């Protein structure tokens, strides 16, 4: 009986070794999956930051064209109908991607519409998943895509003029060119809760107006 028991233990030992080796392999495999997931999440964060940066850069750059449109009759309709994002700003996208250890691949892809433009950015991480028990991960980079939108969120109309009785009488001695009506303030109603006027001849700084007039946010692809 004693001799048989020792024989059973001898046969069980290789099985034990195989089981331990299998568990270790599974542990390393889960570790590899975790590293790949972390790299992928890093890529997505870089893509989100890059897309938002491109849209915000576009919003910052359209100020002169937008304010210029306020000086013309029907200028805003022409402004939005002419696809106001031109050139596809993208240098800010690359900077933000680099801050997250990634690079923009293929530039920024713009999709223009009336009062709404979308920018899609694809990035690739600079770091790889690294050495794991899964072959090939040491050269595997993560990629991700994000889309941000710059969207005009206001309605507008000319500001109400004061009563005629408060206006001074016209100067008959003025030249015809001087009698041309100068552009007046325009009232903007944004998101139904923020209402303000813009005087195209004396506008507030665009850094403030741009954020009030145009929303920038990520959207699901």
């Amino acid at each position: 009986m004693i001799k048989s028991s020792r024989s059973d233990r001898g046969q069980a030992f290789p099985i034990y070794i195989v089981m331990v080796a299998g568990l270790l392999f599974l542990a390393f495999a889960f570790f590899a999956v975790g590293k790949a997931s972390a790299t992928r999440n890093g890529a997505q964060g870089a893509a989100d930051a890059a897309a938002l940066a491109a849209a915000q850069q576009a919003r910052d750059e359209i100020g002169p064209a937008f304010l210029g449109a306020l000086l013309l009759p029907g200028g805003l309709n022409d402004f939005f109908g002419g696809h106001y994002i031109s050139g596809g700003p993208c240098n800010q996208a690359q900077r933000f991607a680099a801050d997250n250890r990634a690079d923009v691949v293929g530039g920024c892809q713009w999709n223009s519409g009336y009062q709404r433009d979308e920018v899609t950015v694809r990035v690739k991480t600079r770091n790889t998943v690294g050495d794991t028990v899964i072959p090939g991960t040491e050269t595997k980079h993560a990629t991700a895509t994000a889309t941000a939108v710059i969207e005009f969120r206001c309605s507008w109309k000319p500001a109400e003029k004061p009563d005629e009785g408060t206006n001074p009488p016209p100067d008959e001695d003025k030249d015809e060119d001087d009698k041309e009506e100068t552009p007046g303030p325009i009232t903007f109603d944004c998101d139904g809760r923020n209402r303000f006027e813009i005087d195209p001849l004396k506008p507030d700084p665009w850094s403030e107006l741009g954020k009030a007039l145009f929303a920038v946010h990520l959207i699901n692809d």
Side-chain angles (χ1 to χ4, degrees), residues 102-185:
D103 292 298
V104 174
V105 179
C108 300
Q109 306 301 317
W110 288 90
N111 182 24
S112 299
Y114 186 74
Q115 297 189 5
R116 174 187 173 99
D117 274 22
E118 296 177 4
V119 57
T120 299
V121 180
R122 184 172 180 266
V123 305
K124 183 174 74 172
T125 58
R126 293 177 177 177
N127 58 299
T128 64
V129 176
D131 292 331
T132 68
V133 296
I134 300 175
T137 57
E138 66 276 3
T139 60
K140 185 67 173 178
H141 297 266
T143 60
T145 301
T147 299
V149 62
I150 171 173
E151 186 172 21
F152 187 67
R153 56 186 178 190
C154 309
S155 59
W156 71 89
K157 64 179 180 179
E160 295 182 2
K161 295 182 179 180
D163 295 336
E164 293 295 332
T166 63
N167 290 336
D171 189 347
E172 299 294 339
D173 296 331
K174 285 188 177 182
D175 296 333
E176 288 299 323
D177 291 340
D178 294 335
K179 290 182 181 180
E180 290 183 2
E181 185 177 353
T182 58

Side-chain angles (χ1 to χ4, degrees), residues 153-160 186-198 209 212-213:
R153 56 186 178 190
C154 309
S155 59
W156 71 89
K157 64 179 180 179
E160 295 182 2
I186 299 175
T187 299
F188 290 87
D189 190 350
C190 303
D191 295 334
R193 59 179 181 273
N194 185 16
R195 189 175 184 182
F196 57 93
E197 290 184 359
I198 298 179
L209 293 177
L213 295 167

